[in-house]
Amino acid sequence: MIRRFIGLGLTACMLTGPAQAGGLDRTGQSLSVLFEEGGTAGAQVRLDYSRTAPHVTGQGDGITGYVPAGTQYDNVADAFSSLGAALKFRLSDRLTAAVIAERPFGSDVLYPGSAQGSEFGGTTAWAETASLTAVLRYQFDQHWSVHGGLRMQEIEGKIRLSGWAYGPPAVYGIPTANGYKVDLGRDTALGYVIGASYEIPEIALRATLTYNSTITHEMDTVEQGNRSATLDGSSVTEVKTPQSVNLYVQTGIAIDTLVYGSVRWAKWSEFRIDPKGFSKPVSEGGSGVGLVDLDDTFTYTLGIGHQFNDAWSGAAEVFYEPRKDDIVAPLFPSVGFWGVGVSGSYETGDWTLSAGVRYTSLGDGSIETFPVGVERAHFEENEALSVGMRVAYNF
């Protein structure tokens, strides 16, 4: 029977920083461990580690009379690591369970420079999430199965707006958003996952569709403005991590080779950060807009896996996330991406060791603030390199 190459050690690790889903979406929320055969008890435990090193660099277009064009923004997105773990076990001939721990979303953006001498110097965006998913899979027969469960998710974040793109700095004594800070306190909330699969084991065909629900957080919020009482205060901000749909399909094309592909849709338009003070109408001293406004995304992957012998196997894939336009927000200065990845896996006894590398070319982006339509900076020719490792034990 053809070996199943789900994941094959290449953990899903995307760049932090782009304005679309790839900027915040770090894992893809895979449930692949549910379909592993496991060992004699039908169980598997795995540990994943990945490291992503982005290169995100842009140049300022200047602000007439205040900031000359040409400011360099180097290494805006920080490198990040991610740990994940999963345990799958068989409860009966038809019922399987899994517990998955991961950090599905995140951001770490910092513009070098000062608020007095650049468009965005000192602007930062940091966000971190952690989730624990418990899911069951029930097989009706060798072809059809359903799965579903609960997901507990924790999130926190901090944002600072800095630079002339947000108005004069504090030394001018004018209330502006230049120097505005907001802390979004840690919150834990529940969501759910549900899906179904169809399989033909003889040809290693599987089609799996999974829905991940929106998770709504109520985050204790502290705002601090630049000489503006309107932007100061404490409140609660509702933040939703996006609902999404994952479709995964694989099929054997030879006794030792299969092709696979996936499509992930994420409703990033519902991920908004609208603190009470900042999002007030302009007539009341606020900005009239939210801090984050993203587009929904589709992410596509296509790959091929090959088993070389009883111990070694490998895979190669391409992936792509199209862009709607090249207008981006300062907190996520890139739009869309494409990339390639390769991975290999070595199996010895009950152990499987896997490793992979992924290159991502990030889309160009033009940053606008106020007034709308005026470009403040542009980012182009950016990229990210990711490496991942997995250790799995079957028992």
Side-chain angles (χ1 to χ4, degrees):
M1 182 184 295
I2 301 174
R3 180 186 299 241
R4 296 172 177 176
F5 295 88
I6 301 175
L8 201 56
L10 184 58
T11 55
C13 43
M14 298 294 181
L15 172 70
T16 177
Q20 306 246 359
L24 296 167
D25 200 337
R26 291 183 171 178
T27 68
Q29 297 177 302
S30 172
L31 300 181
S32 65
V33 70
L34 263 181
F35 300 91
E36 295 290 346
E37 294 183 8
T40 55
Q44 182 184 95
V45 60
R46 64 167 62 162
L47 179 66
D48 293 332
Y49 172 80
S50 65
R51 177 74 174 174
T52 296
H55 177 76
V56 180
T57 300
Q59 186 176 78
D61 290 336
I63 297 176
T64 303
Y66 300 100
V67 179
T71 300
Q72 292 293 319
Y73 298 107
D74 296 327
N75 300 321
V76 169
D78 236 355
F80 64 91
S81 299
S82 183
L83 275 172
L87 171 64
K88 175 259 182 182
F89 47 96
R90 187 170 59 215
L91 298 175
S92 70
D93 290 342
R94 294 181 180 269
L95 191 62
T96 301
V99 179
I100 302 166
E102 61 182 345
R103 296 187 177 274
F105 311 115
S107 178
D108 198 350
V109 173
L110 169 61
Y111 286 76
S114 68
Q116 290 77 28
S118 63
E119 300 92 346
F120 296 105
T123 294
T124 64
W126 175 84
E128 189 172 89
T129 64
S131 70
L132 187 66
T133 304
V135 60
L136 295 172
R137 177 185 178 222
Y138 182 79
Q139 295 177 259
F140 296 101
D141 53 36
Q142 67 172 344
H143 299 301
W144 291 100
S145 66
V146 293
H147 55 271
L150 294 177
R151 173 173 288 135
M152 182 174 64
Q153 181 175 271
E154 182 181 83
I155 184 173
E156 61 180 319
K158 297 180 181 181
I159 293 173
R160 176 185 174 91
L161 306 182
S162 180
W164 275 93
Y166 299 107
V171 294
Y172 283 76
I174 302 172
T176 69
N178 185 350
Y180 169 81
K181 296 186 293 184
V182 59
D183 287 353
L184 300 160
R186 185 178 302 175
D187 181 73
T188 302
L190 288 175
Y192 65 91
V193 299
I194 190 170
S197 296
Y198 177 76
E199 298 179 89
I200 303 178
E202 293 78 10
I203 59 172
L205 184 146
R206 179 189 307 130
T208 301
L209 186 68
T210 301
Y211 171 76
N212 302 285
S213 76
T214 299
I215 299 181
T216 301
H217 294 270
E218 301 290 337
M219 306 182 73
D220 291 334
T221 303
V222 178
E223 296 177 84
Q224 293 178 290
N226 173 4
R227 297 182 179 273
S228 173
T230 301
L231 299 182
D232 292 340
S234 300
S235 60
V236 175
T237 302
E238 182 181 275
V239 177
K240 297 180 179 180
T241 54
Q243 61 182 309
S244 60
V245 176
N246 290 1
L247 172 63
Y248 175 85
V249 180
Q250 69 171 48
T251 184
I253 57 174
I255 195 170
D256 53 5
T257 305
L258 60 73
V259 294
Y260 62 93
S262 67
V263 180
R264 175 172 167 84
W265 168 81
K267 191 174 177 59
W268 281 100
S269 57
E270 67 185 351
F271 175 72
R272 297 188 55 83
I273 301 178
D274 300 327
K276 182 179 179 181
F278 187 85
S279 59
K280 281 182 178 178
V282 175
S283 60
E284 298 178 19
S287 69
V289 297
L291 286 168
V292 176
D293 186 9
L294 305 179
D295 295 324
D296 300 340
T297 56
F298 284 90
T299 307
Y300 306 92
T301 302
L302 180 64
I304 185 169
H306 182 77
Q307 183 174 338
F308 301 104
N309 53 46
D310 290 341
W312 288 98
S313 55
E317 64 183 29
V318 296
F319 48 91
Y320 172 62
E321 184 176 285
R323 64 185 187 180
K324 185 176 181 180
D325 55 42
D326 64 352
I327 304 302
V328 299
L331 303 181
F332 309 103
S334 182
V335 181
F337 55 80
W338 67 267
V340 296
V342 294
S343 59
S345 183
Y346 176 74
E347 184 174 334
T348 174
D350 294 323
W351 293 90
T352 302
L353 309 177
S354 308
V357 60
R358 169 177 284 197
Y359 170 82
T360 305
S361 175
L362 303 168
D364 300 341
S366 298
I367 296 179
E368 295 181 0
T369 52
F370 295 105
V372 174
V374 178
E375 183 178 312
R376 300 301 191 189
H378 58 276
F379 286 74
E380 56 188 18
E381 298 182 0
N382 293 307
E383 59 192 5
L385 185 65
S386 305
V387 294
M389 299 190 332
R390 169 174 293 165
V391 178
Y393 177 71
N394 296 313
F395 59 98

